[in-house]
């Protein structure tokens, strides 16, 4: 769903009024529809490391069959299970707010490299996110690279596959081998399958609250989000229902995250009730 010109104007006016220094973009499978300036400036997006580096790398391991979400970590070796209680699984770490450190250790153990190296090889480089990198422990990326990533998650040509959470596929060649930087190019395997995204954007915690997907959290209007815990901090949203994504890097504290989300995803483009609805469950 393309962002209408009057809706784009309303989003722009909202951000300029509430936080003139904020960096933002809204788009769909075809790319950005509206954004602030400075798309090529490399920014600190450390609050998004879990969803831009950890989550997609886990997805590639699941798709290869190298990781099963419900298998205890001890099955992958003592190093993979270090610091976790007996019986802990990757699924539990993906749905627990404090599970990212243990999940990072697991990913680095299975990949035989740092998370930064694994994400670059398996995800960022195949998508053309050539200026996204982790340096001195902080994730940095330009707005243009964030748009490539979020666009890829919605792109209709992304290949589908059997549900990776329950039936891992056989190992395949690294995605980077296809040499394509275009998320719309279906000539080779995509870094992330449509199935992994679909499995992640479902409530995986049953009736427990707060509800969670796999490192994504449900938001109103059929939207999923991941954001830094600190305010101000970066946030991303994706909605397969609306065929729309959004990213916001605020410069000042305040309620902009909520009002920005409402302006982008509410059906009429204006703030309204934040009652959740339409969120799929596993």
């Amino acid at each position: 769903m393309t962002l209408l010109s009057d809706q784009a104007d309303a989003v722009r006016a909202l951000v300029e009024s509430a936080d003139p220094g904020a960096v933002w973009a809204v788009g769909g499978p075809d790319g950005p529809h509206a954004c602030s300036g400075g798309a090529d400036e490399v920014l600190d997006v450390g609050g998004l490391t879990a969803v831009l580096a950890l989550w997609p790398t886990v997805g590639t391991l699941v798709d290869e069959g190298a990781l099963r979400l419900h298998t205890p970590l001890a099955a992958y070796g003592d190093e993979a299970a270090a610091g976790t209680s007996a019986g802990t699984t990757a699924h539990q770490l993906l749905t627990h707010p404090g599970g990212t450190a243990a999940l990072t250790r697991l990913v680095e153990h299975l990949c035989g490299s740092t998370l930064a190296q694994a994400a670059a090889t398996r995800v960022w480089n195949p998508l053309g996110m050539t200026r996204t990198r982790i340096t001195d422990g902080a994730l940095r990326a330009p707005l243009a690279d964030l748009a490539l990533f979020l666009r890829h998650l919605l792109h209709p040509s992304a290949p589908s596959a059997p549900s990776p959470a329950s039936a891992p596929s056989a190992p395949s060649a690294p995605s980077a081998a296809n040499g394509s930087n275009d998320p719309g190019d279906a000539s080779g395997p995509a870094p992330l399958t449509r199935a992994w995204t679909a499995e992640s954007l479902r409530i995986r915690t049953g009736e427990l609250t707060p509800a969670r997907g796999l490192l994504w959290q449900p938001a109103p209007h059929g939207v999923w989000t991941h954001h830094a815990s600190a305010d101000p901090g970066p946030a991303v949203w994706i909605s397969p229902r609306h065929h729309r994504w959004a990213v916001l890097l605020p410069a000042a504290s305040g309620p902009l995250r909520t009002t920005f989300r409402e302006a982008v995803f509410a059906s009429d483009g204006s703030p309204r009730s934040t009652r959740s609805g339409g969120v799929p469950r596993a």
Side-chain angles (χ1 to χ4, degrees):
M1 183 183 298
T2 302
L3 196 70
L4 301 177
S5 59
D6 57 345
Q7 189 174 356
D9 290 343
V11 172
R12 189 181 305 277
L14 168 68
V15 177
E16 290 179 351
S17 173
D19 187 357
V23 177
W24 61 278
V26 178
D30 54 345
H33 298 161
C35 64
S36 61
D40 294 323
E41 179 185 357
V42 178
L43 306 164
D44 183 350
V45 292
L48 301 178
T49 303
V51 77
L52 292 177
L54 189 54
W55 172 74
T57 305
V58 169
T60 65
L61 290 168
V62 171
D63 287 337
E64 291 172 2
L67 174 64
R68 293 176 181 266
L69 296 186
H70 296 284
T71 296
L73 303 186
Y76 302 102
D78 293 341
E79 184 178 344
T84 63
S85 57
T88 298
T89 67
H91 183 274
Q92 291 172 328
L93 298 178
L94 285 162
T95 56
H96 191 280
T100 54
L103 196 58
T104 297
R105 285 196 300 271
L106 172 65
V107 166
E108 292 182 338
H109 174 73
L110 294 176
C111 292
S113 65
T114 65
L115 175 61
Q117 294 168 331
T121 300
R122 292 168 169 266
V123 183
W124 302 337
N125 290 344
L127 288 180
M129 298 168 62
T130 56
R131 290 188 294 163
T132 298
R133 55 180 55 87
I134 297 176
T135 56
D136 298 325
L139 178 64
R140 299 183 62 81
L143 189 61
D145 278 14
L146 302 183
L148 283 173
F149 180 82
L150 294 167
R151 170 192 176 189
H152 173 68
L153 300 187
L154 290 178
H155 206 286
S157 67
S160 187
S163 172
S166 56
S169 59
S172 58
S175 300
N178 65 32
S180 172
N181 289 337
D182 183 359
D185 183 358
S187 62
L192 297 172
T193 61
R194 183 181 296 171
W196 171 246
T197 301
E199 290 292 338
S200 299
L201 304 184
R202 290 179 178 272
I203 293 177
R204 313 290 303 198
T205 49
E207 299 302 318
L208 298 177
T209 55
R212 291 182 177 273
L214 301 181
L215 286 181
W216 291 85
Q217 296 84 49
H221 315 301
V223 177
W224 289 82
T225 184
H226 187 96
H227 56 76
S229 57
D231 181 26
V236 292
W237 297 267
I238 186 167
S239 175
R241 176 196 295 179
H242 296 84
H243 302 290
R244 185 174 295 169
W245 54 262
V247 56
L248 173 69
L249 283 68
S253 300
L256 181 58
R257 276 184 193 166
T258 300
T259 54
F260 178 82
R261 182 198 67 213
E262 291 294 296
V264 171
F265 293 103
S267 60
D268 62 357
S270 61
R272 56 170 56 183
S273 169
T274 58
R275 182 175 59 86
S276 180
V279 176
R281 291 177 178 267

